[in-house]
Amino acid sequence: MRTATITRKTAETEISVEINLDGTGVYDNQTGVGFFDHMLDQLARHSLIDLKIRATGDLHIDDHHTVEDTGIALGQALTKALGDKRGIRRYGHFALAMDDTQVACALDLSGRPFLVWNCDMPTQKIGSFDTELVREFFQALSTNGLITLHIDRVHGFNSHHIAESAFKAVARALRMAVEPDPRMAGVLPSTKGAL
């Protein structure tokens, strides 16, 4: 079973993440940050990765620590569930259209974390949610999930659509990358001998 449970506790947050890479996109995410929960739900649904997250954070300060630490814990859970990465496709890409917006994602489960972020938002807030936290989440996910992650806004003017398109594009690319490749069963998708 390609599953993992991670618990992360700091002076700022307490987070638990449960994932199943071979799920159907079932989700149950409760972070106390409504817009972020909506984005995590999209991530699960469109990646077909079952995802349950519980987060308690210092929301009386702001949402930053909760969002970033959730990205850290989710990245760690992804790394644990992938194991040695034998038999996976490794690479994923997706261009996602949503109304006025198109966001493209390309990623590599390379073991070498790197985020390229060309997905600026035209507003600082989506409701009460700071739009800069979208990048913070993906930075934490990339670093702790050991993912080379490129996210590019092709076009778009609505910040909600841009953020949601980013989460959905990453989800679809991740779905492709974690899937077992029937032509590579038990084989590491690298000539290096390690990922």
Side-chain angles (χ1 to χ4, degrees):
M1 291 290 291
R2 299 190 307 159
T3 62
T5 300
I6 293 289
T7 301
R8 174 183 169 83
K9 185 172 183 179
T10 71
E12 298 165 339
T13 62
E14 185 171 347
I15 298 168
S16 67
V17 175
E18 298 175 21
I19 65 170
N20 176 4
L21 299 183
D22 300 309
T24 58
V26 173
Y27 54 86
D28 181 8
N29 302 307
Q30 298 176 26
T31 67
V33 182
F35 180 76
F36 185 46
D37 288 348
H38 178 49
M39 294 299 100
L40 293 170
D41 295 348
Q42 300 302 322
L43 187 66
R45 171 62 70 215
H46 293 280
S47 67
L48 297 183
I49 295 172
D50 292 348
L51 183 58
K52 180 179 179 181
I53 296 175
R54 294 290 182 270
T56 304
D58 52 3
L59 299 180
H60 62 285
I61 296 174
D62 66 9
D63 300 341
H64 187 108
H65 297 140
T66 299
V67 172
E68 182 179 30
D69 288 8
T70 298
I72 291 170
L74 180 56
Q76 291 171 344
L78 183 63
T79 297
K80 184 177 177 182
L82 282 168
D84 65 7
K85 302 179 187 174
R86 291 185 181 278
I88 64 168
R89 295 188 186 276
R90 176 180 167 181
Y91 297 98
H93 59 90
F94 204 85
L96 191 128
M98 181 177 178
D99 301 334
D100 57 288
T101 300
Q102 184 184 155
V103 173
C105 173
L107 60 81
D108 177 9
L109 301 176
S110 61
R112 298 184 306 278
F114 197 92
L115 176 66
V116 174
W117 177 259
N118 294 311
C119 198
D120 292 334
M121 313 269 173
T123 62
Q124 293 182 344
K125 296 274 191 181
I126 300 169
S128 62
F129 184 82
D130 293 328
T131 55
E132 69 181 5
L133 295 182
V134 177
R135 185 192 184 283
E136 291 301 316
F137 170 78
F138 286 119
Q139 180 66 68
L141 180 69
S142 170
T143 300
N144 292 274
L146 306 177
I147 305 167
T148 300
L149 179 60
H150 293 231
I151 304 172
D152 296 286
R153 178 181 63 142
V154 179
H155 49 256
F157 55 80
N158 181 290
S159 292
H160 186 129
H161 294 164
I162 294 166
E164 188 164 338
S165 295
F167 273 85
K168 288 178 176 177
V170 170
R172 287 287 177 152
L174 196 56
R175 173 181 170 180
M176 182 185 298
V178 303
E179 281 183 344
D181 185 339
R183 296 178 63 193
M184 294 283 288
V187 177
L188 194 69
S190 173
T191 58
K192 295 176 190 273
L195 280 176

